[in-house]
């Protein structure tokens, strides 16, 4: 089982912000730290940690932290609330 805490920590670490800034509603480019380059860092960090490989369309559709969580279900990664 994967936890929301670890999920948020991975994202926060990838974009170099405090974990407290990360929630389901955080949106791509809402903060300067989440730009196109750091979006790819998030993808890479999640792929390494959860041992998945996102397809290109899924990466494009990961516009919020909540959408990322939803996309991860497609890869059998369930992050508990």
């Amino acid at each position: 089982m994967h936890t929301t805490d670890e999920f948020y920590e991975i994202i926060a670490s990838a974009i170099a912000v405090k974990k407290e800034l990360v929630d389901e509603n955080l949106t791509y480019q809402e903060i300067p730290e989440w730009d196109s380059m750091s979006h790819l860092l998030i993808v890479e960090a999640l792929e390494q940690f959860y041992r998945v490989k996102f397809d290109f369309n899924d990466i494009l559709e990961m516009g919020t932290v909540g959408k990322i969580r939803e996309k991860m279900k497609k890869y059998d990664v369930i992050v508990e609330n």
Side-chain angles (χ1 to χ4, degrees):
M1 176 173 62
H2 303 289
T3 67
T4 297
D5 193 52
E6 79 181 9
F7 176 61
Y8 286 177
E9 182 65 40
I10 293 166
I11 293 171
S13 178
I15 60 176
V17 297
K18 292 182 178 181
K19 187 173 66 178
E20 292 75 24
L21 288 176
V22 178
D23 64 20
E24 297 299 298
N25 299 316
L26 182 62
T27 304
Y28 171 68
Q29 294 187 331
E30 178 182 343
I31 57 175
E33 292 87 351
W34 191 357
D35 60 13
S36 58
M37 181 59 101
S38 60
H39 187 72
L40 296 176
L41 294 174
I42 291 171
V43 169
E44 180 182 30
L46 293 171
E47 285 180 337
Q48 287 181 357
F49 188 84
Y50 295 110
R51 300 180 189 265
V52 297
K53 182 73 175 159
F54 297 110
D55 74 33
F56 184 70
N57 288 331
D58 288 337
I59 294 169
L60 293 177
E61 294 171 0
M62 293 175 171
T64 66
V65 171
K67 290 239 184 220
I68 293 172
R69 183 195 296 260
E70 284 299 310
K71 290 294 179 187
M72 291 176 55
K73 290 179 184 175
K74 177 179 174 181
Y75 301 91
D76 297 323
V77 176
I78 307 299
V79 177
E80 299 292 328
N81 283 327

